[in-house]
Amino acid sequence: MNRWIREWSVVGVLALLLAYLAWRAPAFFQLQPLLSLLAREAPSLVVACGVAMVIIVRQIDISVGSQFSVCSVIAGLLAAAGWPLAAVVPVAVLIGGSLGLVNGLLVAWLGLPSIVVTLATLVALRQCLNLVRQGEFVNLPERIQWLGLSQSQGQWLLVGGAVGLVAVLAWGLRHLAAGRWLYAVGSDAEAARLAGIRPRAVTLGTFVLMGALTGIAAMMNVVQSPQVQPLTGSGLELKAIAAAVVGGVAISGGRGTVWGVLAGLLLLACISPAMVHLHIDAYWEKAIQGLIILAAVMVEGLRRRRNHAR
Amino acid sequence: MRAEPAHPPAPGAAAGPSWRRWLLRYEVLLLLVLVVEWLLFYHFGTSVNRRGVTVGFGTLDRQFDILRHSCEIGLLALALTPVILTGGIDLSVGSLLGLCAVVFGGLTHALGLPLPVAAALTLVVGAVAGGLNAGLICQLRLPPLIVTLGTYSLFRGLAEAFTRGSVTYSDFPAGFLVLGQGRWGGLPVQAWLFLAVAVSVWIWIHRTVAGRACRVIGFAPEGARFAGIGVRGQLTAAYVAAGVIAALAALIYTSRLGQAKADAGLGYELFAITAVVLGGTSIFGGRGTVTGTLLGVAAIAVLKNGLATLPVVMRLNAAEELAGLLTGALLLAALAAGKLAERLRLSSVTG
Amino acid sequence: MSERPLLAFRRITKSFGAVRALRGVDLEVRAGEVHALLGENGAGKSTLIKVATGAHAPDSGVIELAGETLERLDPALARRRGIACIYQQPALFPELSVAENLALRLEPAAGWRRVAWAERHRVALALLARIGAEIDPGREVGTLSMPEQQLVEIASAIGAGARVVIMDEPTASLTRREQERLFGIVNALRREGVAVIYISHRLEEILALADRVTVLRDGQSVASRLRAEVDEATLIRLMVGRDVAQLYPPSESAPGAVRLALRGLCCRSAGGRPVSFEVRAGEVYGLAGLVGAGRTELARTLFGLTPADAGELWIDGERVTIGSPQAAIAHGIAYVPEDRRRHGVVLELPIEQNVSLAAWRRLFPLGWLRRDRERSEAREFVRALAIRTPDTETATANLSGGNQQKVALARWLATRPRVLLLDEPTQGVDVGAKSEIHRLVRRFAAEGMAVVLISSDLPEILGMSDRIGVMRGGELAAELPGGAGATQVMSAALGQPVEGTAA
Amino acid sequence: KAGSERAARDLGVELLFEGPVDSNAAKQNEIVENWITLGVDVIAVAAENREGISTALRKARREGIKVVTFDADAMPDARSFFVNQATPQGIGEALMDEAARLCGGEGEFAIICATLTAGNQREWQREIERRRQERHPGMKLVAVRPCDDLKDRAQSEATALMSAHPKLRLIMAICSPAVPGAAEAVKQAGKKGAVRVIGLGLPNENRRYVKEGVTDTVILWKTEDLGYLTVQAAVALAKGELKAGASTFKAGSLGEFRIEGDNILLGKPFLFNRDNIDQFDF
Ligand SMILES: Nc1ncnc2c1ncn2[C@@H]1O[C@H](COP(=O)(O)OP(=O)(O)OP(=O)(O)O)[C@@H](O)[C@H]1O
Ligand SMILES: Nc1ncnc2c1ncn2[C@@H]1O[C@H](COP(=O)(O)OP(=O)(O)OP(=O)(O)O)[C@@H](O)[C@H]1O
Ligand SMILES: [Mg+2]
Ligand SMILES: [Mg+2]
């Protein structure tokens, strides 16, 4: 319990929010809109888990938003050019992976600080896309949408897929030696090296995995609508980092779980629709969102303060 | 079996030729980049137009424009430098700029307060907002990233709520607009303010024990406590100063544009952080210089503004995009070169 | 004992920038022998063993294991080849549990292996039990005290089933009881035919344990002898190149007025128990006890890190409350902490800035930095404490462990304190420097300082203290006169009845 | 943009075109000041922020540079003419009237905008509200939601709006990415026909939904004509052919336009729907 205080406090705040909604706006809990909401958040969840892993190894990736856009647009163009879905998905994952590889090489091998590297790739990729697409949408063929399934099948598949992915990642991080390496490297890279772990390889691998997850997430997003906006995913990095840190991933590395990220993301994702349901004017939204983020982590802070005093 | 008696080398002997050490300093490298940028734009970005007037990058006006346009971001970068040196971060400065701008607008327009009073109160609001960050970080011991992520939303949200998103304050008296649009002693007025802040922060960081304390906290927060440094006090000072500087930037911004609106300074934090890290400050704290930050700001500002004067770029309508691309490239190149220089410096030491 | 060396270093050299840490070291270690490595601080001992574990790549020279040259050695390969090591600076993962810390060092390097948590826990329990450490394997290592971390390190090295076990100052912060357990383990390893390289600055340990002794000086091996051929004086002469006159200088002055007085002082919220004693000006008060006896905790309370919430504290006859380290410094209290790397020095800062760090109020009364003053102050301490460094601008991280300790000490001496709390001040410090430090402590005491000396090095406590307080379970169990014997102190620490004065 | 380039070709003038993909008042100021120091002859701006840009434009006029605004106006004293493709009033009325027509004069509707602070959108909203009060009191505006110019976010917002307001009859998307976003949401919610979508946008982005009948009407100022007219007016101004007080202006191949005060009128906003969308490809 003590170790998971942050996770629980986030779940607690989320539960409070949901309970309030159940009281004041029960219409929030309708199956179809809720399913749509979750499906729309599925890509963010996948990205946030990737970002969480990067943070666990004591790095950061703020280029995910741009990576996401690049994967989406390229996947969209390929699909529009008539490629079958079975080919588009692996290509998207591959592109994401190689973008991650670039970041990873610069960070792990050249030893540049990851915030600088990914800041650079964030700006560079985004502006490349602007230069090439000039903001123009990519129109997709009909068959891509919902992976060729019906809409509700597709949505269930996406939500299930994302949760499944989280479960797999959670399991891997907890029960695979390689997963534990992430924590070891994030906790103390030099100690990890002395223990026979290769911190550079672990860091590189994490960035590549992050990229691949972004590719998957981009596909999860692309199949949800018949058009791709090149601007898609802008601001995603902030959302993903927010979900991760609110969900208890320590920015100093070595600590955190993807289940916490799931809770953090759900909390963040619920705020905006909750505002709509509670008929709160939109200009209050950012202020309330800020307060909720602070509230969710304040529980931990207050508790730590009390512990300290004791 | 012993070959030679080993004495510890005399102090300074291992340092190698000092000029070489100096040349390989990161700041010097950045200065070089800046000079090259400037010369390139001067050469390619200056022309004589049909009316026979010299226009483009090489004009004094242009240089002043660069100065005026980079003042606010420069101020935020200066505000962030001490914070980042302590190993923290303040994502909320851009939002705070927006909040302070509308607060100032509200105070002068809605409440009709005299300008100096309103300006002073705005600075107080900045200090209080910085104090809120500091309080959450120090008292509740929460990570700065999360706290300022929260206040990043909160401050912008308050600015929007305050103006219901739509109110724009304008019609400021000319006396106030001088601050952002006028000149004094040949330089834009805000450049003097910027200079004053830069010098103060430089003195604080490089010449006082408080600045040293920021560094120590950045390197080892626990170690700082064990050395008897008032960690909370120093952190509070850094965040409050960041708030006040952001408020000052808000005043300048308002004056420059002649309007105060809730979207003021949107996204500025990212530019400011970029400038700081380009300036060689370590995001993990401890390492960094104010000079580096200033050079970082200048390098980005000159790049961005200079590109817009190149005829090729203008015809392509791609100044914005190219500036982004090149900033990214510059960041990577500078940092990689910094690493290389460090290695060279070490090897020169080995001799 | 076979004659063919199990592990051999051949003409190893290694430089860090301008510092030539190793200048062609030869060393041969045989199976079933305990090979002690000695040398002053910065002689290159830790560097040498880091070369053996693949943590550092040598600039030249080769390492042979059982006659076979090890090429491109890295920590993973070294581990597979059966070389295990206790590093001087605990290389642990603070965010992870004890069990996991052990497992990361012990389990094979395959990444797709499933982690057996229950098994890890079991192994950890067994290993900890074997070295007699009572640590919950589920605890996060970051919350362990310094000696507890050292025990975890030891557990990880002996659990590896290695052919060569290297111990770099394993006992630096261990007390007598843990030490003796460790000696038992070393002896068991020797019986099993394991080669043990043992580094320590405590000569009595070396004389008790080693089969063979090699002395390093300035990155070269100056002598390699069998145990039988050496005695303490020889070793010191080999290490330092001269005779170190007297290990423990005698008390020079008669104690003055009561300078520091504790009356039931404790920090209940940190789990402390009330403690009372007095220390006079010019007196060295030794605090002995087992690991976890609460000495460090007491020192932290005195220094305001965990401010006292009960009892009284008097300094120079004046009642004071100390709520923070700043207040403590203002009252002339200085504290040299036991965890040097985390608390004692700021590794990234240059030596001079570390030295001036706590003495800002004296050196820079206006809050304005004065580099010249700082530098001359630092140079003085570098000279006085014989800190081995090219210059005072060198980052403290580049110093050897013992020299770092001297920097930590210099920092607090620079504050010109009235009360000096020393927590393991000579851990990892070589004999020469150690006697230097002892002399300095004496000198400062003679100038009127009240010194509280916490040490797990029993001879040091016995040799240096004018009076000895023995702590047990957070309380002062006994107070003994300076001339007390080792057995008296030990039995007080273990809670057995002591003949002599009780507190 | 295409139109302005055509006009520039027709007239043989050099055209610098700069338009940030993201809209930001401070940025625009920088561009204008950049142009001032470049010493251009005429500046044409679509003001991102009325007051903000005016300072810079006044400075330009002081330097003898002619200024026209288009799309969104600056302060009247900061420019000579405003090329008015559709006044905020025109857009507001067109949107509100269309909404009322589709809903039969009464019902709930919601607006999705880009950001809460975007200047022109605030103005449109004001006009929409005025028109509603004057002509369509039966219509009820239940929410205004921002989408940050992101189609995906607009889709989420529309989904939430529909579930929170079961009686919602229409979504009005007043930034271009929001129109397809809202349409997709309506389609996925299976409320085609029950919840109507109208908005401001481009034909290509909406073609699919207009044809499917999800989106009913898209309002567009013919950007090409606007660009053409702006450049024509700018050049005429620079040459001194267009003077204050004129009542008509002849613009190359497009013919004559009416001038009202200092507004050159492009005409009424243009409505797309199922019937005429195929005539356009951009
Ligand atoms: N990473 C490093 N960078 C630069 N210099 C180093 C580094 N590590 C060690 N040194 C230098 O190498 C020399 C040998 O250091 P080493 O740690 O091997 O000494 P040691 O014999 O273990 O001393 P101690 O007894 O104090 O632990 C010292 O002068 C030290 O300053
Ligand atoms: N940082 C810490 N976090 C949590 N518990 C701690 C910490 N430091 C010490 N303890 C615990 O407090 C108790 C007292 O430890 P303390 O370090 O004061 O003993 P000590 O007598 O100084 O021992 P040593 O001389 O070996 O350092 C121990 O049980 C220890 O586990
Ligand atoms: Mg050592
Ligand atoms: Mg202790």
Side-chain angles (χ1 to χ4, degrees):
Chain A
M1 173 70 204
N2 211 343
R3 272 193 77 139
W4 310 116
I5 173 79
R6 171 71 74 70
E7 280 84 347
W8 284 116
S9 73
V10 171
V11 170
V13 171
L14 178 62
L16 275 179
L17 182 66
L18 292 180
Y20 187 71
L21 279 170
W23 177 39
R24 302 305 304 245
F28 183 81
F29 300 93
Q30 298 170 54
L31 180 63
Q32 187 52 46
L34 216 51
L35 182 61
S36 289
L37 168 69
L38 292 178
R40 305 248 6 110
E41 295 301 332
S44 310
L45 175 62
V46 173
V47 171
C49 287
V51 169
M53 292 195 298
V54 172
I55 298 179
I56 287 173
V57 290
R58 202 164 188 262
Q59 304 289 350
I60 195 144
D61 189 345
I62 53 175
S63 70
V64 282
S66 299
Q67 288 185 30
F68 188 86
S69 303
V70 170
C71 292
S72 297
V73 168
I74 295 182
L77 288 173
L78 292 179
W83 286 41
L85 198 60
V88 174
V89 176
V91 169
V93 175
L94 214 65
I95 291 169
S98 37
L99 291 178
L101 183 71
V102 172
N103 280 337
L105 283 175
L106 289 170
V107 172
W109 252 263
L110 284 188
L112 301 181
S114 56
I115 182 144
V116 183
V117 169
T118 57
L119 190 64
T121 47
L122 166 84
V123 185
L125 287 179
R126 170 74 61 211
Q127 297 301 353
C128 264
L129 214 53
N130 283 345
L131 213 53
V132 174
R133 291 301 299 175
Q134 298 281 343
E136 200 184 319
F137 282 24
V138 181
N139 280 301
L140 303 174
E142 206 62 59
R143 68 197 158 76
I144 292 293
Q145 209 172 354
W146 305 123
L147 305 154
L149 303 170
S150 79
Q151 178 186 325
S152 78
Q153 279 175 338
Q155 286 178 334
W156 279 115
L157 185 68
L158 289 183
V159 175
V163 174
L165 210 53
V166 170
V168 169
L169 289 175
W171 185 86
L173 281 176
R174 175 83 186 143
H175 292 292
L176 279 185
R180 301 315 295 172
W181 289 353
L182 261 57
Y183 289 88
V185 171
S187 183
D188 187 335
E190 178 61 14
R193 192 175 77 88
L194 294 177
I197 298 169
R198 304 213 317 274
R200 287 177 170 192
V202 172
T203 306
L204 181 69
T206 311
F207 270 99
V208 173
L209 185 57
M210 154 95 264
L213 285 174
T214 308
I216 294 175
M219 281 317 295
M220 291 177 126
N221 189 44
V222 164
V223 299
Q224 291 196 42
S225 87
Q227 291 165 325
V228 179
Q229 184 187 14
L231 210 57
T232 185
S234 72
L236 182 61
E237 58 280 345
L238 214 57
K239 185 174 181 183
I241 294 173
V245 292
V246 167
V249 179
I251 202 74
S252 52
R255 207 188 287 269
T257 59
V258 286
W259 293 118
V261 178
L262 175 63
L265 187 86
L266 281 180
L267 178 64
L268 293 181
C270 278
I271 294 175
S272 174
M275 299 280 148
V276 178
H277 279 267
L278 295 171
H279 307 309
I280 296 175
D281 277 327
Y283 40 75
W284 282 106
E285 181 168 327
K286 279 192 192 134
I288 293 176
Q289 184 172 350
L291 285 177
I292 290 182
I293 291 179
L294 290 178
V297 296
M298 209 113 82
V299 181
E300 185 193 13
L302 288 173
R303 193 191 158 96
R304 193 169 332 161
R305 201 174 143 78
R306 221 188 47 219
N307 274 358
H308 192 63
R310 187 161 39 79
Chain B
M1 195 159 172
R2 294 188 59 195
E4 62 206 313
H7 300 292
S18 63
W19 58 267
R20 188 164 170 192
R21 236 162 54 129
W22 188 82
L23 263 189
L24 289 169
R25 272 181 69 115
Y26 184 75
E27 284 91 346
V28 178
L29 205 112
L30 259 186
L31 187 66
L32 204 70
V33 169
L34 187 60
V35 169
V36 169
E37 267 182 9
W38 201 88
L39 288 177
L40 275 179
F41 292 134
Y42 188 84
H43 187 76
F44 294 107
T46 314
S47 55
V48 177
N49 77 353
R50 255 174 289 127
R51 271 180 269 142
V53 185
T54 306
V55 296
F57 190 82
T59 60
L60 199 61
D61 268 3
R62 186 75 203 153
Q63 299 298 318
F64 284 169
D65 279 348
I66 296 179
L67 205 56
R68 295 199 302 118
H69 294 157
S70 47
C71 249
E72 293 111 38
I73 287 177
L75 281 174
L76 295 190
L78 281 175
L80 277 173
T81 306
V83 169
I84 294 181
L85 276 181
T86 66
I89 186 95
D90 189 347
L91 296 179
S92 72
V93 283
S95 301
L96 184 55
L97 195 159
L99 179 60
C100 286
V102 300
V103 164
F104 178 70
L107 288 175
T108 49
H109 286 62
L111 296 185
L113 291 181
L115 281 169
V117 178
L121 282 179
T122 306
L123 294 182
V124 171
V125 168
V128 170
L132 175 68
N133 281 333
L136 290 169
I137 291 165
C138 302
Q139 302 298 325
L140 297 187
R141 314 235 233 126
L142 293 172
L145 184 81
I146 310 183
V147 169
T148 59
L149 193 68
T151 52
Y152 159 85
S153 259
L154 181 65
F155 295 156
R156 180 71 63 198
L158 286 177
E160 283 181 2
F162 195 59
T163 57
R164 325 209 110 215
S166 62
V167 181
T168 303
Y169 301 104
S170 52
D171 298 328
F172 290 95
F176 173 66
L177 296 183
V178 166
L179 177 61
Q181 299 171 13
R183 286 201 192 161
W184 192 72
L187 282 179
V189 176
Q190 65 262 57
W192 291 106
L193 276 178
F194 180 74
L195 197 69
V197 174
V199 169
S200 321
V201 174
W202 187 86
I203 289 177
W204 169 20
I205 291 307
H206 295 291
R207 283 293 175 269
T208 71
V209 296
R212 175 78 66 77
C214 286
R215 249 171 236 284
V216 176
I217 294 169
F219 280 133
E222 272 288 277
R225 212 162 80 86
F226 271 76
I229 293 174
V231 175
R232 283 185 189 179
Q234 300 295 347
L235 285 182
T236 306
Y239 286 94
V240 169
V244 174
I245 297 177
L248 182 66
L251 294 179
I252 293 176
Y253 181 96
T254 309
S255 167
R256 176 163 73 88
L257 294 182
Q259 60 139 359
K261 199 167 154 229
D263 68 351
L266 196 65
Y268 276 22
E269 59 281 336
L270 199 64
F271 285 110
I273 294 173
T274 309
V276 175
V277 293
L278 179 62
T281 298
S282 159
I283 203 75
F284 294 114
R287 257 173 259 278
T289 61
V290 175
T291 328
T293 297
L294 293 176
L295 288 169
V297 172
I300 292 179
V302 169
L303 180 67
K304 219 171 63 162
N305 287 271
L307 274 177
T309 63
L310 295 188
V312 202
V313 176
M314 278 193 291
R315 251 168 236 121
L316 281 175
N317 177 24
E320 175 82 359
E321 289 85 352
L322 278 180
L325 267 177
L326 288 181
T327 311
L330 183 64
L331 260 181
L332 289 182
L335 264 287
K339 272 257 165 309
L340 194 73
E342 197 177 312
R343 244 172 244 168
L344 279 179
R345 206 159 62 213
L346 280 184
S347 70
S348 89
V349 166
T350 320
Chain C
M1 216 182 283
S2 73
E3 272 314 295
R4 208 177 61 135
L6 178 58
L7 182 70
F9 298 83
R10 310 242 182 257
R11 304 220 56 79
I12 303 279
T13 65
K14 173 80 191 171
S15 298
F16 300 100
V19 179
R20 294 175 63 192
L22 300 177
R23 315 174 175 220
V25 173
D26 290 296
L27 182 68
E28 293 186 346
V29 185
R30 291 167 183 76
E33 95 174 346
V34 175
H35 195 123
L37 205 51
L38 274 102
E40 291 183 88
N41 292 130
K45 305 179 293 295
S46 301
T47 308
L48 185 67
I49 62 121
K50 280 193 176 165
V51 168
T53 62
H56 285 326
D59 296 336
S60 68
V62 291
I63 297 171
E64 289 170 10
L65 185 67
E68 179 193 354
T69 305
L70 295 177
E71 305 272 1
R72 301 166 58 80
L73 193 62
D74 64 26
L77 178 62
R79 204 176 71 177
R80 275 202 300 282
R81 292 311 195 81
I83 300 175
C85 182
I86 301 166
Y87 293 102
Q88 186 175 11
Q89 332 270 17
L92 298 170
F93 307 100
E95 277 86 7
L96 304 182
S97 70
V98 171
E100 178 146 34
N101 264 280
L102 293 175
L104 282 167
R105 301 269 283 270
L106 300 179
E107 290 174 1
W112 304 115
R113 193 165 40 80
R114 182 145 177 215
V115 169
W117 287 96
E119 173 73 7
R120 279 185 168 184
H121 196 85
R122 213 179 46 67
V123 169
L125 266 183
L127 277 176
L128 291 170
R130 191 163 150 208
I131 59 168
E134 284 158 15
I135 304 172
D136 172 11
R139 255 176 84 183
E140 252 176 59
V141 163
T143 68
L144 297 183
S145 68
M146 191 65 196
E148 286 170 325
Q149 292 190 18
Q150 192 128 38
L151 291 175
V152 174
E153 274 274 333
I154 294 172
S156 78
I158 61 159
R163 287 195 282 174
V164 181
V165 174
I166 305 173
M167 301 187 175
D168 195 353
E169 301 191 32
T171 54
S173 65
L174 294 190
T175 47
R176 181 61 72 94
R177 195 165 65 144
E178 284 80 21
Q179 274 173 38
E180 275 164 7
R181 253 219 228 242
L182 182 69
F183 294 169
I185 291 165
V186 170
N187 285 324
L189 288 174
R190 167 165 40 204
R191 278 195 300 280
E192 289 162 21
V194 173
V196 178
I197 300 180
Y198 191 95
I199 300 176
S200 176
H201 290 293
R202 297 185 181 169
L203 296 180
E204 73 276 9
E205 279 177 15
I206 289 185
L207 294 172
L209 269 182
D211 301 309
R212 188 187 292 269
V213 182
T214 296
V215 178
L216 284 191
R217 189 154 80 203
D218 298 324
Q220 288 175 319
S221 34
V222 292
S224 197
R225 306 269 169 82
L226 282 176
R227 160 71 183 90
E229 304 166 9
V230 294
D231 59 11
E232 195 164 315
T234 331
L235 286 181
I236 292 176
R237 209 173 320 110
L238 283 171
M239 274 167 67
V240 191
R242 63 186 157 88
D243 288 310
V244 174
Q246 197 168 7
L247 264 177
Y248 300 106
S251 188
E252 288 170 15
S253 57
V258 171
R259 175 137 268 183
L260 174 76
L262 288 71
R263 312 249 162 89
L265 192 79
C266 69
C267 173
R268 285 184 205 286
S269 54
R273 316 263 295 265
V275 173
S276 308
F277 63 81
E278 291 179 349
V279 186
R280 294 171 178 278
E283 189 179 34
V284 177
Y285 188 88
L287 267 184
L290 302 178
V291 167
R295 297 165 299 168
T296 297
E297 223 149 79
L298 178 66
R300 284 164 158 255
T301 301
L302 275 173
F303 191 60
L305 287 158
T306 50
D309 47 18
E312 299 172 9
L313 180 63
W314 297 71
I315 293 180
D316 283 336
E318 200 184 321
R319 182 163 175 199
V320 297
T321 36
I322 289 185
S324 66
Q326 292 100 287
I329 294 174
H331 284 109
I333 301 180
Y335 173 51
V336 181
E338 64 177 348
D339 191 339
R340 168 177 70 226
R341 261 159 60 90
R342 259 194 313 174
H343 305 145
V345 293
V346 179
L347 292 169
E348 294 88 347
L349 285 185
I351 294 169
E352 55 195 27
Q353 298 190 14
N354 260 303
V355 170
S356 69
L357 198 53
W360 284 350
R361 214 172 295 186
R362 186 173 66 76
L363 292 172
F364 321 121
L366 300 177
W368 191 262
L369 292 177
R370 294 189 44 194
R371 307 296 291 267
D372 49 337
R373 252 184 116 160
E374 171 174 272
R375 185 156 305 171
S376 61
E377 183 86 8
R379 286 212 177 125
E380 216 161 277
F381 277 107
V382 164
R383 199 170 321 117
L385 301 183
I387 297 172
R388 182 173 296 234
T389 170
D391 55 44
T392 56
E393 286 168 85
T394 307
T396 313
N398 292 347
L399 297 185
S400 74
N403 283 310
Q404 288 176 7
Q405 183 65 34
K406 292 188 209 165
V407 172
L409 193 64
R411 171 193 293 176
W412 289 104
L413 293 180
T415 64
R416 309 273 191 272
R418 289 189 286 174
V419 175
L420 183 60
L421 308 175
L422 300 170
D423 200 349
E424 314 288 357
T426 57
Q427 61 168 308
V429 174
D430 69 48
V431 265
K434 201 179 202 166
S435 79
E436 203 69 29
I437 290 175
H438 289 152
R439 224 171 33 73
L440 279 166
V441 169
R442 272 287 169 228
R443 203 180 84 202
F444 284 109
E447 284 168 15
M449 241 180 245
V451 180
V452 177
L453 174 68
I454 300 173
S455 175
S456 301
D457 189 2
L458 201 50
E460 177 174 77
I461 287 271
L462 298 175
M464 285 296 296
S465 312
D466 297 320
R467 274 184 307 139
I468 301 172
V470 184
M471 290 193 70
R472 201 177 111 70
E475 286 174 321
L476 204 61
E479 211 165 73
L480 304 168
T487 41
Q488 262 179 306
V489 175
M490 279 314 287
S491 45
L494 289 167
Q496 290 150 359
V498 196
E499 67 282 13
T501 41
Chain D
K1 188 184 175 190
S4 52
E5 275 167 359
R6 185 158 55 87
R9 261 198 317 280
D10 286 0
L11 294 167
V13 296
E14 190 185 353
L15 176 75
L16 305 177
F17 190 100
E18 205 158 334
V21 179
D22 52 340
S23 35
N24 178 322
K27 172 135 288 148
Q28 205 173 31
N29 265 28
E30 286 167 31
I31 295 172
V32 169
E33 288 182 352
N34 183 8
W35 282 343
I36 296 174
T37 47
L38 275 185
V40 296
D41 297 314
V42 204
I43 292 175
V45 207
E48 203 55 65
N49 184 282
R50 207 179 156 82
E51 293 83 5
I53 196 74
S54 299
T55 328
L57 294 182
R58 281 189 205 109
K59 180 173 163 195
R61 293 189 80 184
R62 275 200 303 279
E63 310 251 320
I65 299 171
K66 301 282 193 303
V67 177
V68 293
T69 53
F70 64 100
D71 192 1
D73 200 5
M75 305 290 278
D77 70 314
R79 44 82 179 152
S80 310
F81 282 97
F82 172 43
V83 182
N84 196 339
Q85 96 278 9
T87 51
Q89 193 183 352
I91 288 181
E93 285 174 4
L95 278 169
M96 196 60 234
D97 290 346
E98 186 66 14
R101 186 182 69 77
L102 289 168
C103 298
E106 60 184 317
E108 296 185 345
F109 74 106
I111 292 179
I112 297 181
C113 60
T115 61
L116 293 173
T117 44
N120 51 358
Q121 306 205 348
R122 295 302 308 189
E123 226 159 287
W124 297 337
Q125 283 177 44
R126 251 196 300 282
E127 295 301 330
I128 290 168
E129 178 60 19
R130 182 161 56 225
R131 185 69 165 187
R132 187 192 68 77
Q133 281 173 1
E134 282 171 8
R135 293 280 182 84
H136 315 289
M139 299 289 291
K140 186 168 167 234
L141 175 62
V142 292
V144 180
R145 303 290 306 168
C147 74
D148 294 337
D149 266 323
L150 292 174
K151 187 200 66 146
D152 297 336
R153 167 114 196 256
Q155 189 178 333
S156 306
E157 292 293 347
T159 307
L161 282 169
M162 283 184 287
S163 75
H165 302 278
K167 289 195 296 237
L168 192 73
R169 299 287 307 278
L170 177 136
I171 296 173
M172 191 186 280
I174 61 175
C175 67
S176 66
V179 191
E184 182 64 26
V186 168
K187 185 179 161 193
Q188 289 189 11
K191 294 200 171 171
K192 180 178 116 181
V195 178
R196 314 263 185 167
V197 177
I198 64 171
L200 297 169
L202 299 171
N204 272 358
E205 289 171 1
N206 293 293
R207 187 180 313 278
R208 182 191 305 250
Y209 299 108
V210 172
K211 287 196 161 171
E212 284 177 6
V214 182
T215 303
D216 289 279
T217 313
V218 183
I219 296 179
L220 164 113
W221 48 100
K222 288 194 231 164
T223 45
E224 209 166 323
D225 288 357
L226 177 64
Y228 190 87
L229 178 57
T230 305
V231 172
Q232 286 278 358
V235 173
L237 190 62
K239 291 186 179 153
E241 290 163 7
L242 176 61
K243 293 207 173 61
S247 66
T248 57
F249 170 59
K250 185 157 176 345
S253 62
L254 282 182
E256 273 205 349
F257 292 88
R258 210 152 54 80
I259 300 181
E260 228 173 56
D262 50 12
N263 280 15
I264 304 173
L265 300 182
L266 181 64
K268 280 205 172 296
F270 192 82
L271 303 188
F272 283 103
N273 51 36
R274 215 166 169 169
D275 307 323
N276 60 3
I277 193 161
D278 278 335
Q279 299 164 19
F280 303 92
D281 182 24
F282 57 91

